Amino acid sequence: MADSAIWVEGLVKRFKSVVALKGIDFEVQKGTIFGLLGPNGAGKTTTIRILATVLRADEGQARVMGHDVFEEPFAVRCQIGLAGQNAAVDPNLTGRENLRMIGKLAQVASSEIRRRADELLDTFDLMDAADRPLRTYSGGMRRRLDVAAALVSRPPIIFLDEPTTGLDVQSRTELWGVIRNLVADGSTVLLTTQYLEEADQLADRIAVMDLGRIVANDTAALLKSRLGNTVIEMEMENEAQSAWAEDVLQKTVADGQIEHEGVLVRINTDKGPLILIQAIRSLDAWGLVPIGLSVREPSLDDVFLTLTGTQAISSAPTTALGGGYS
Ligand code: ADP
Ligand code: MG
């Protein structure tokens, strides 16, 4: 707990009859990206709002950089930057004016605000649009400004609530780069997302949320390995060869289930890299040369389905939904 940036135990939050959080626990190490992954209504925003001291939990405890979220909200607010749904930016102010205003609200020294705003506009590739009102920005630009706004006061902890929802592929990729850089500079990021790919790409650890519970908390690699297996599939020239290949592999590879189906030979294993090498070597020793090869790692989609019984959203929409958040 001493080294954790965020520590949460037994958080419960009720909205009248809806129990949004049913007792969640997690811990985020300093200098890492932690992903809260879950579908709409899972409780991601509620969790972030409690940690950001915007909302009070009904039960449980939470600490941010050692400060109690309920007892020391002001100390917590000094440590955090929040970007996400319903962010506090004004569409009629320019990008530069928005950042300066937020700097003032965060009580950044006035001598610093000007420089900091320009630095962020530059980092987020918004310098050309700096003096245009925010309402003229594209969805991607607006989202970048929103993340920039969370960084004006250089907070050690950054909350990003669905930072890329509704963005086109290019804007998402750009924002991923920015988020990775934040952590390279020593920040800690708590990120929520509905996109498996995003959590997989960015997060050191992923907590899968569903209906107010955390149903898994692991590294992406471990989450995938829970589900098991790498599938290695080789296509042979004809069925006689694939039957022969199966026979050879049954006798020579050290792990996995092997079968053939038509011209395909399939190995299902949790030691993918090792078994792939063994398979290629033993087929080669018999002069068997596959004409096709595919190696499929389990996806987080598969994991989600296994854990929650529902399909998560596996890829981002390819069109931007405009600047607003839903
Ligand atoms: P997510 O961000 O994962 O989509 P939320 O934390 O926004 O989920 O919501 C979790 C649950 O709590 C949902 O069922 C939602 O309808 C409910 N909820 C969230 N905020 C409120 C609120 N202010 N009043 C009533 N219900 C709410
Ligand atoms: Mg939300």
Side-chain angles (χ1 to χ4, degrees), residues 179-194:
I179 294 168
R180 288 197 186 98
N181 285 340
L182 293 177
V183 174
D185 287 346
S187 303
T188 305
V189 175
L190 175 62
L191 164 108
T192 77
T193 182
Q194 300 193 31

Side-chain angles (χ1 to χ4, degrees), residues 40 44-45 85 161-162 192:
N40 251 328
K44 304 181 298 295
T45 299
Q85 296 165 328
D161 194 9
E162 298 200 25
T192 77

Side-chain angles (χ1 to χ4, degrees), residues 39-322:
N40 251 328
K44 304 181 298 295
T45 299
T46 302
T47 305
I48 293 240
R49 292 180 72 202
I50 290 170
L51 291 173
T53 76
V54 181
L55 201 66
R56 256 194 107 86
D58 294 308
E59 290 170 37
Q61 300 181 56
R63 290 180 164 270
V64 172
M65 296 299 267
H67 298 290
D68 189 294
V69 169
F70 311 114
E71 305 291 329
E72 309 164 79
F74 184 74
V76 169
R77 274 173 224 153
C78 293
Q79 304 285 328
I80 62 171
L82 171 62
Q85 296 165 328
N86 310 313
V89 285
D90 184 336
N92 293 314
L93 296 181
T94 68
R96 184 177 267 126
E97 287 165 346
N98 263 295
L99 292 183
R100 288 184 183 175
M101 183 190 69
I102 284 158
K104 258 188 214 155
L105 291 175
Q107 300 183 315
V108 177
S110 51
S111 56
E112 239 250 297
I113 288 178
R114 198 170 284 263
R115 195 162 47 86
R116 183 66 180 146
D118 280 8
E119 192 178 282
L120 287 166
L121 289 164
D122 192 41
T123 307
F124 286 79
D125 204 17
L126 290 168
M127 205 46 115
D128 290 344
D131 297 312
R132 274 168 36 198
L134 211 63
R135 61 185 138 75
T136 67
Y137 282 27
S138 70
M141 291 163 74
R142 202 167 156 160
R143 207 65 66 89
R144 294 206 299 278
L145 189 88
D146 194 22
V147 176
L151 305 181
V152 173
S153 62
R154 300 181 192 279
I157 312 264
I158 300 148
F159 296 132
L160 302 175
D161 194 9
E162 298 200 25
T164 70
T165 295
L167 291 187
D168 60 81
V169 172
Q170 193 192 334
S171 307
R172 273 176 86 204
T173 313
E174 283 168 12
L175 205 47
W176 285 356
V178 172
I179 294 168
R180 288 197 186 98
N181 285 340
L182 293 177
V183 174
D185 287 346
S187 303
T188 305
V189 175
L190 175 62
L191 164 108
T192 77
T193 182
Q194 300 193 31
Y195 302 132
L196 305 164
E197 190 196 351
E198 181 158 286
D200 194 14
Q201 283 279 331
L202 292 178
D204 298 292
R205 278 189 89 81
I206 299 171
V208 182
M209 277 191 92
D210 190 44
L211 298 173
R213 289 207 166 81
I214 289 179
V215 293
N217 177 346
D218 256 319
T219 62
L222 278 173
L223 274 178
K224 289 182 194 170
S225 75
R226 264 207 198 186
L227 188 83
N229 294 335
T230 307
V231 177
I232 302 166
E233 204 169 65
M234 286 169 288
E235 183 184 351
M236 308 306 290
E237 236 160 61
N238 52 50
E239 181 153 8
Q241 276 207 8
S242 71
W244 182 15
E246 183 196 330
D247 204 40
V248 169
L249 294 172
Q250 294 283 11
K251 291 181 183 125
T252 51
V253 302
D255 181 272
Q257 285 171 284
I258 301 153
E259 59 184 14
H260 87 272
E261 191 186 329
V263 294
L264 299 176
V265 196
R266 203 171 294 127
I267 309 173
N268 208 303
T269 175
D270 56 9
K271 300 194 179 84
L274 172 71
I275 297 307
L276 179 62
I277 290 172
Q278 286 186 357
I280 301 284
R281 279 194 184 136
S282 45
L283 291 183
D284 187 48
W286 288 89
L288 285 162
V289 181
I291 58 174
L293 170 73
S294 76
V295 179
R296 192 177 71 81
E297 294 287 341
S299 71
L300 275 176
D301 242 338
D302 302 329
V303 176
F304 204 92
L305 191 60
T306 307
L307 292 171
T308 69
T310 51
Q311 198 87 46
I313 299 168
S314 59
S315 59
T318 49
T319 50
L321 297 178

